[in-house]
Amino acid sequence: MDAKGFQRSSVLFINWLLNSDLIPVRMRCLYGLLLVFFAVFGAAAQKIAGPLTVLPGITDGYMLMNPTNYNKAFLIDQCGQVVNEWESQYAAAHTIYLKPNGQLVRTNLLENTVIDGGGGSGGGVEILDWNSDLLWSYAYNTNKVRQHHDISVMPNGNILILAWELKTEEESLIAGRNPALIPDGVVWPEHIVEVRPIVPSGGEIVWEWHLWDHLVQDFDATKDNYGNVGNSPQLVDLNFTGAGQKDWVHANAIDYNPDLDQIIISAHAFNEIWVIDHKLTTAQAKGHTAGRYGKGGDLLYRWGNPMAYRQGTAGDTKLLGQHHTHWIPPGLPHAGKILYFNNGPLRNYSSVEIIDPAASSNGAYTLTGSKYGPTDPMFTYTSTPQTTLFSRNMASAQMLPNGSLFIGSSAQGTTWEVSATNQVIWFYKSPITANGTVGRDYFPTSGTFASRPIFRSTKYLSDYPAFSGRNLVPREPIEGEPWADCVVITGLEEQPTLATYPNPADDKLTIQSSGFIRASLFDGQGKKVFDGEGDRQLTISTGSMTTGIYLLRTNEKVEKVLIRH
């Protein structure tokens, strides 16, 4: 039993002793003193989960997260308080998105005994409303195909699904795969389907792209796709192994750019980013000459590892197991550039980087000599010391309007907000573990506990349309007490909406607001002595409370209150 468990068990035992007629009164007094000791010891417990750093300058908004293999998603404020949560019958596969209308789109982990064992396995997509009611559920999960890792929600409501498709050993050999690279007898190349949701569980596939249509190999001249790999950067070498075997490419992210009508794919095992054209029919996407750029569904751009198309050495490799590759949206710093989390599993530290692919106004990309530029990222962030930020797998990064970065270090179970001057102004350690929730049903003694990974942490600004008209009254944090006593000073101008009086208070304390009030009052030992809510006005009876300084938490505001009789 750990220290916290011992503490809780001891308090329960002493409580029993205090109320037992079998124990002499004098001994009960001694046990009472012991109970006071344990209560004080518990109140002084170290905070090891939730928001551990809260500094001025935080971007005003809410974090959306869903730990992997967990069936709940949470929207939390900067103080770690839950403002909404969603629960599904399925564990999340990996990614979740909050649509502007307040609906949650999430990937589901479904069983598949044929396409199994791959990291990032999923199989389904569902949409929940704000109240967690199921609106749509769709399975893309058979003996031949399986959704994995990521999806992209398009402006028209369609969903781009990143998926594996199974190719048999015979199919792989005909395509020109080296037999030595088929140890499991199958290969899982990538493909993308665009699905138009049909409520409640249907979907129309309106567009498709298959990597299998865009291959090159120089292993066997008698087989399909034979050609010069070094002269074909628009095609993918079927025998470039990278880190993959049957899960040959292990793509882990997909993003759609509506301005360019292009799709970006993170090819993890290749240490590359790929860009393809979406302004094509499915038939055109199979070929090599159609479309605005005359390339059909071939790669328009690739970057990160020119060795993958025989135009570089190991020293030219820039991407190291990257995740969350995406275009920075319009209106943000470096809009239109490509942002990603560069994991660096072999260098033991991670970085967040931005590249400028130098696309023309119509989205065309050009080779610089024999390979695609740039030579190096235009921006790189690493922590100090560098090893502090390190996620061997998964992870995410997001650009915020003020130039801050919102970073999810998945393997560490932590989320960071880093200011434009490289100061960590918010640091959150997820309390959800495989053993339970810290402070609720699991009581580790230090902050080295292993959180469930969060594949992607996303910040939605407070003026995001999904929050319009919603009751975003903060509730208790996910973790148990102690909670962060935080007053958030954001990067936005704030107007006070709460008034508390009188202070000092005697027999009552009144709270007035222009909206709904949620309030908790804690004594000097951290014990909650009041918890309540009200509309526009809330009165707390303090006449029976001991004279002293109390901590009042109202919505997102925390202040000290003196009760004096």
Side-chain angles (χ1 to χ4, degrees):
M1 181 183 297
D2 60 23
K4 187 73 175 181
F6 173 75
Q7 172 203 334
R8 288 165 62 89
S9 299
S10 300
V11 169
L12 291 173
F13 178 63
I14 293 171
N15 266 314
W16 175 81
L17 291 175
L18 287 173
N19 293 283
S20 174
D21 293 333
L22 301 176
I23 307 299
V25 173
R26 185 176 300 176
M27 293 300 295
R28 287 189 225 172
C29 292
L30 175 61
Y31 295 140
L33 290 174
L34 286 174
L35 181 60
V36 170
F37 168 77
F38 280 109
V40 172
F41 174 74
Q46 178 188 8
K47 181 165 180 55
I48 57 175
L52 305 181
T53 299
V54 183
L55 297 178
I58 299 172
T59 305
D60 194 17
Y62 304 93
M63 178 175 78
L64 179 68
M65 68 170 190
N66 196 141
T68 56
N69 299 320
Y70 197 73
N71 71 330
K72 285 187 178 181
F74 300 93
L75 188 69
I76 66 171
D77 66 13
Q78 294 97 324
C79 293
Q81 299 169 119
V82 176
V83 297
N84 201 41
E85 65 181 73
W86 295 263
E87 185 172 359
S88 170
Q89 72 177 100
Y90 299 108
H94 278 76
T95 49
I96 57 174
Y97 295 92
L98 185 62
K99 296 173 67 175
N101 63 4
Q103 295 175 353
L104 186 79
V105 186
R106 68 192 300 275
T107 55
N108 293 335
L109 180 59
L110 306 179
E111 184 178 357
N112 191 313
T113 59
V114 177
I115 306 179
D116 64 342
S121 296
V125 184
E126 68 181 6
I127 298 178
L128 306 177
D129 70 11
W130 182 262
N131 299 315
S132 201
D133 293 323
L134 181 65
L135 301 178
W136 178 70
S137 182
Y138 181 76
Y140 195 68
N141 186 50
T142 70
N143 290 346
K144 295 292 291 183
V145 300
R146 189 181 193 186
Q147 179 276 332
H148 68 91
H149 281 95
D150 201 7
I151 56 176
S152 183
V153 181
M154 305 176 74
N156 64 2
N158 291 353
I159 298 173
L160 292 172
I161 294 178
L162 183 64
W164 293 305
E165 59 180 336
L166 185 146
K167 298 296 181 181
T168 65
E169 182 172 19
E170 181 182 6
E171 289 173 311
S172 302
L173 293 174
I174 291 172
R177 181 82 164 176
N178 182 341
L181 302 179
I182 320 176
D184 300 305
V186 293
V187 176
W188 301 347
E190 304 293 343
H191 74 291
I192 299 167
V193 292
E194 178 183 344
V195 176
R196 181 178 67 84
I198 300 175
V199 175
S201 59
E204 178 189 4
I205 295 176
V206 299
W207 185 85
E208 300 180 42
W209 175 87
H210 296 260
L211 177 59
W212 207 248
D213 297 324
H214 305 282
L215 303 176
V216 63
Q217 57 88 16
D218 57 7
F219 174 75
D220 189 338
T222 67
K223 299 294 172 38
D224 294 347
N225 305 305
Y226 186 76
N228 188 320
V229 174
N231 289 340
S232 307
Q234 77 280 11
L235 301 175
V236 176
D237 182 3
L238 179 57
N239 293 304
F240 182 81
T241 56
Q245 290 290 336
K246 62 182 178 182
D247 183 8
W248 165 48
V249 177
H250 194 77
N252 56 32
I254 182 172
D255 186 39
Y256 175 69
N257 187 322
D259 294 328
L260 300 176
D261 204 1
Q262 295 177 359
I263 296 168
I264 192 169
I265 305 163
S266 171
H268 176 272
F270 277 59
N271 289 324
E272 279 195 299
I273 293 167
W274 296 342
V275 175
I276 61 172
D277 191 9
H278 176 262
K279 197 176 181 64
L280 301 165
T281 66
T282 295
Q284 290 173 331
K286 291 178 175 290
H288 312 281
T289 59
R292 295 169 292 171
Y293 313 109
K295 292 188 175 182
D298 289 348
L299 304 188
L300 301 179
Y301 176 77
R302 63 194 306 177
W303 189 84
N305 182 15
M307 284 199 303
Y309 53 102
R310 311 271 179 87
Q311 294 298 331
T313 65
D316 297 314
T317 303
K318 304 299 179 183
L319 293 180
L320 306 167
Q322 77 289 341
H323 283 78
H324 198 197
T325 58
H326 63 283
W327 282 284
I328 299 175
L332 298 179
H334 308 298
K337 309 300 190 293
I338 296 173
L339 173 66
Y340 54 89
F341 187 99
N342 207 8
N343 295 73
L346 299 181
R347 67 183 183 185
N348 293 320
Y349 72 90
S350 300
S351 55
V352 175
E353 298 170 4
I354 300 173
I355 63 166
D356 182 358
S360 65
S361 59
N362 73 337
Y365 307 85
T366 57
L367 288 164
T368 303
S370 59
K371 54 191 175 185
Y372 289 99
T375 303
D376 293 294
M378 60 177 288
F379 169 89
T380 299
Y381 167 78
T382 57
S383 61
T384 303
Q386 286 183 324
T387 52
T388 306
L389 176 64
F390 178 48
S391 186
R392 190 176 298 277
N393 54 13
M394 298 183 276
S396 61
Q398 176 186 358
M399 178 63 68
L400 298 176
N402 59 1
S404 293
L405 292 170
F406 199 67
I407 303 170
S409 186
S410 301
Q412 296 173 302
T414 59
T415 302
W416 313 38
E417 186 166 334
V418 181
S419 72
T421 58
N422 290 347
Q423 181 185 19
V424 178
I425 54 179
W426 196 71
F427 182 84
Y428 181 88
K429 171 77 169 171
S430 174
I432 299 173
T433 78
N435 298 315
T437 301
V438 173
R440 302 284 185 182
D441 50 12
Y442 175 53
F443 302 93
T445 56
S446 75
T448 58
F449 66 88
S451 302
R452 282 185 182 272
I454 301 170
F455 184 76
R456 190 170 295 167
S457 304
T458 306
K459 188 157 204 176
Y460 290 90
L461 303 187
S462 58
D463 60 356
Y464 187 61
F467 307 139
S468 178
R470 307 282 183 191
N471 186 358
L472 299 177
V473 177
R475 305 192 292 270
E476 287 186 355
I478 301 170
E479 71 274 9
E481 299 180 83
W483 297 323
D485 295 326
C486 76
V487 177
V488 177
I489 303 174
T490 68
L492 303 176
E493 182 179 354
E494 296 190 18
Q495 300 297 327
T497 58
L498 286 165
T500 304
Y501 63 89
N503 191 3
D506 182 5
D507 61 334
K508 66 179 180 179
L509 181 68
T510 300
I511 307 166
Q512 285 189 331
S513 172
S514 57
F516 195 82
I517 303 168
R518 179 78 168 84
S520 299
L521 188 66
F522 301 85
D523 66 16
Q525 299 299 319
K527 179 183 177 182
K528 185 186 293 184
V529 296
F530 175 84
D531 188 51
E533 56 188 34
D535 188 22
R536 292 183 173 81
Q537 181 166 312
L538 183 65
T539 299
I540 303 174
S541 178
T542 58
S544 62
M545 296 182 185
T546 305
T547 294
I549 296 176
Y550 290 70
L551 193 69
L552 176 66
R553 184 195 301 273
T554 49
N555 296 355
E556 292 190 11
K557 181 181 178 183
V558 177
E559 61 182 305
K560 291 180 180 178
V561 173
L562 174 61
I563 295 177
R564 184 171 61 196
H565 304 298

